[in-house]
Amino acid sequence: MTRPDDAAALPGAVADAVRAFAAHGADDPDARLVALDFDGTLAPLVDDPLAACMAPAARAAVDRLAAALAGTTTRLALVSGRNLADLAERSEPPVGTYLVGSHGAETGHVTADGLDAVPLELDAEQADRLASLRAGMADAVAGREGAWVQDKPSAAVLHTRLASAADTRAAVADTDAVAGRLGLHAMHGKDVVEVAVVETSKGEAVDRLRDVVGQDCGLPDGRTRVLYAGDDTTDETAFAVLGPGDLGIKVGDGDTLAAQRVADADALAAVLDLLAGLIEQRR
């Protein structure tokens, strides 16, 4: 049953939007997808990415929601810029969760036996560009304290959270220049710049997941409806592909295409608790 405090921490408009998402299709079930960013959305942003973990309230809400979804036509997904293995380790996702890593370049599904991942293979040209990208970005952070580069299977990421303002500006400018020389797109987020040799986005990943979830639920002919929550500029591509029947929730401040907004991971946990409670009640 829905707990009395499930919606207490939410603005009325957000709670109403969640209720509408849960109620739609109750008599004629639709396939639905609850897709959530990780860093800054479920997990507070931290200086060391390897130290990130879900906020306690978010951890409890994700686990509750996953249990409530068992046997329904709604699926859970985590959609992140992290590489897939790192996302799986940091998030400890419930069985049945779809995972999207590297902004859509990597995908997987959590089973009772572990992570079933789709292998990512680069062609020779992509591999050469990635090597050149990593070398150029290493030069971009050389001598700039607090700026560092993270390697991913198909990308390199500039981190500047611990760098001075001057070093940040210089490292970002040099990284943009490297990307430009290689004909690659630089994605700017919160204290990060990611450059990938595989063109994708969270928006493209969400659109692909619509089809996957519809097939998985045995409802391939309808349009899977999506609730997406995220905090960063890279999540705006996911908000951009949402349409009628979908729900976008921005976590934190900043301009957004999302229709609704909550303050932080704890407030998003209240959203997930409300949704789980409504599903529990209907069942």
Side-chain angles (χ1 to χ4, degrees):
M1 294 295 290
T2 305
R3 294 183 289 194
D5 60 347
D6 280 342
L10 297 175
V14 175
D16 288 345
V18 174
R19 292 188 184 101
F21 181 81
H24 185 90
D27 297 326
D28 182 17
D30 291 331
R32 287 179 296 186
L33 169 66
V34 180
L36 310 170
D37 175 43
F38 182 70
D39 293 284
T41 299
L42 295 171
L45 295 173
V46 293
D47 291 340
D48 180 3
L50 296 180
C53 63
M54 286 192 200
R59 174 80 271 168
V62 166
D63 291 342
R64 180 189 179 192
L65 179 60
L69 297 183
T72 73
T73 57
T74 300
R75 299 291 184 265
L76 176 66
L78 300 182
V79 180
S80 176
R82 287 178 179 264
N83 69 64
L84 195 69
D86 185 31
L87 174 62
E89 182 177 357
R90 299 270 68 80
S91 66
E92 300 181 45
V95 171
T97 304
Y98 289 98
L99 296 185
V100 173
S102 299
H103 298 280
E106 299 179 277
T107 58
H109 188 232
V110 181
T111 73
D113 297 321
L115 177 61
D116 182 12
V118 178
L120 173 64
E121 297 182 0
L122 302 180
D123 60 31
E125 181 182 354
Q126 289 171 327
D128 287 344
R129 291 172 93 186
L130 182 59
S132 297
L133 173 66
R134 288 172 173 169
M137 289 180 64
D139 289 341
V141 299
R144 290 166 178 154
E145 186 176 356
W148 59 283
V149 176
Q150 175 190 10
D151 290 337
K152 291 185 179 180
S154 62
V157 187
L158 169 67
H159 290 262
T160 59
R161 179 176 293 273
L162 299 178
S164 68
D167 281 345
T168 294
R169 287 192 297 271
V172 168
D174 286 353
T175 295
D176 285 343
V178 171
R181 287 198 300 271
L182 295 172
L184 301 172
H185 173 65
M187 294 186 291
H188 291 242
K190 294 180 178 178
D191 301 312
V192 297
V193 180
E194 179 161 343
V195 185
V197 299
V198 175
E199 292 188 16
T200 188
S201 70
K202 292 182 178 180
E204 293 178 25
V206 167
D207 267 345
R208 288 195 299 268
L209 276 176
R210 286 189 194 273
D211 295 334
V212 171
V213 169
Q215 294 286 344
D216 186 35
C217 294
L219 298 167
D221 297 330
R223 180 178 183 271
T224 298
R225 294 170 48 253
V226 176
L227 184 160
Y228 186 88
D231 75 304
D232 207 346
T233 54
T234 57
D235 295 301
E236 293 301 314
T237 61
F239 294 137
V241 302
L242 302 184
D246 298 330
L247 173 58
I249 301 177
K250 168 79 170 183
V251 179
D253 299 327
D255 294 338
T256 186
L257 296 173
Q260 303 295 336
R261 186 190 301 270
V262 295
D264 53 25
D266 287 347
L268 182 63
V271 166
L272 303 181
D273 267 328
L274 175 58
L275 180 59
L278 292 166
I279 294 170
E280 292 163 356
Q281 187 177 53
R282 192 165 70 208
R283 294 178 63 186

